[in-house]
């Protein structure tokens, strides 16, 4: 009986030891995980900002004068700068407006509820009520799209609506890429065209 009792005690002690080891390891892992978390803070915050991107000719005619040309203007209520990180970026948590000018100073505008600009790739991730308006009245609407500043193209895999007043149509589709001035659109999938009804004043 004593021998049997000792075996039971040994079994209980072993189970208890394993349980303690398990909970100890779990607790240590949790604390290590919490300590490993590193909060990321912006190195700068700008409110009601306006950033102007210009192109300056190589030769300046006289000192203090330049023929610089405005390429784009980026503005919004709030910008958070994380350029100090290994993969630098900027966020626009309260929305942004991008105004892009072509060689003839014709303007295309891009607006969204939220944006992230990745400096190393020159890519802007636009989210929420994204609208691109061309100087000729063309308009693209999507819930999310990317704008490639270097190649001057926008693209998305989401659903979109493209309004073209030149031929009086509205196109619904899913997935596309488009030139910055909306002059060329390549759609992955379309759901057909709808004619815009013209209203004539009597």
């Amino acid at each position: 009986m004593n021998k049997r009792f000792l075996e039971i005690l040994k079994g209980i002690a072993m189970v208890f030891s394993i349980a303690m080891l398990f909970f100890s390891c779990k607790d240590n892992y949790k604390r290590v995980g919490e300590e490993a978390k590193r909060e990321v803070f912006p190195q700068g915050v700008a409110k009601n900002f306006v950033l102007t991107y210009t192109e300056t000719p190589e030769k300046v005619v006289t000192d203090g004068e330049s023929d610089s040309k405005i390429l784009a203007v980026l503005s919004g209520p709030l910008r958070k700068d994380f350029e100090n990180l290994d993969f630098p970026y900027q966020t626009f948590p309260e929305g942004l407006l991008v105004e892009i000018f072509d060689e003839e100073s014709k303007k295309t505008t891009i607006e969204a509820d939220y944006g992230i600009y990745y400096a190393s790739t020159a890519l802007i991730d636009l989210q929420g009520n994204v609208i691109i308006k061309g100087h000729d009245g063309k308009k693209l609407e999507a819930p999310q799209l990317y704008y490639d500043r270097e190649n001057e193209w926008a693209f998305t895999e989401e659903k979109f609506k493209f309004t073209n007043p030149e031929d009086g149509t509205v196109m619904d589709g899913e997935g596309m890429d488009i030139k910055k001035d909306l002059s060329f659109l390549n759609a992955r999938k379309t759901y057909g065209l709808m004619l815009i009804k013209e209203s004539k004043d009597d």
Side-chain angles (χ1 to χ4, degrees):
M1 183 75 176
N2 288 338
K3 188 176 179 182
R4 177 67 178 162
F5 182 72
L6 286 173
E7 287 177 356
I8 292 172
L9 281 178
K10 284 181 181 178
I12 292 172
M14 186 176 291
V15 170
F16 183 75
S17 299
I18 292 171
M20 288 296 292
L21 181 63
F22 174 76
F23 286 116
S24 175
C25 290
K26 185 178 180 183
D27 183 55
N28 286 339
Y29 177 79
K30 186 177 180 182
R31 277 190 273 115
V32 169
E34 287 174 355
E35 291 169 0
K37 289 179 181 177
R38 185 170 64 93
E39 289 190 63
V40 179
F41 297 97
Q43 70 171 6
V45 176
K47 293 184 177 181
N48 300 316
F49 66 92
V50 177
L51 299 174
T52 303
Y53 299 90
T54 60
E55 181 182 55
T56 306
E58 293 181 4
K59 293 182 180 180
V60 178
V61 180
T62 58
D63 292 338
E65 286 186 24
S66 65
D67 238 353
S68 62
K69 179 183 177 184
I70 296 176
L71 300 177
V73 177
L74 174 62
S75 60
L78 182 65
R79 176 176 68 98
K80 294 185 178 181
D81 187 350
F82 297 90
E83 297 289 324
N84 54 325
L85 302 180
D86 293 334
F87 190 68
Y89 64 93
Q90 299 173 21
T91 63
F92 308 91
E94 296 182 11
L96 73 161
L97 172 66
V98 184
E99 298 171 286
I100 306 164
F101 300 90
D102 64 10
E103 295 77 12
E104 299 176 357
S105 296
K106 292 178 180 177
K107 184 172 69 174
T108 299
T109 63
I110 306 174
E111 54 186 310
D113 293 340
Y114 181 85
I116 306 175
Y117 172 60
Y118 300 100
S120 57
T121 58
L123 202 66
I124 304 176
D125 180 2
L126 300 157
Q127 303 172 20
N129 299 310
V130 184
I131 300 174
I132 303 180
K133 294 178 182 177
H135 65 87
D136 53 2
K138 293 176 184 174
K139 183 169 69 172
L140 175 73
E141 301 168 81
Q144 186 272 344
L145 63 80
Y146 295 97
Y147 177 66
D148 184 345
R149 277 191 58 221
E150 284 190 356
N151 296 310
E152 299 182 335
W153 279 81
F155 58 93
T156 185
E157 294 302 322
E158 302 290 334
K159 291 183 178 180
F160 69 90
K161 178 184 284 187
F162 180 63
T163 305
N164 186 353
E166 288 184 350
D167 56 14
T169 59
V170 175
M171 175 195 296
D172 288 311
E174 186 174 347
M176 61 89 214
D177 54 278
I178 192 166
K179 200 172 178 181
K180 71 170 184 179
D181 60 0
L182 308 184
S183 61
F184 178 84
L185 181 144
N186 178 33
R188 317 271 192 280
K189 185 190 296 184
T190 60
Y191 304 122
L193 294 175
M194 181 176 66
L195 293 176
I196 302 172
K197 293 182 180 179
E198 295 184 4
S199 57
K200 296 181 179 180
D201 297 328
D202 295 332

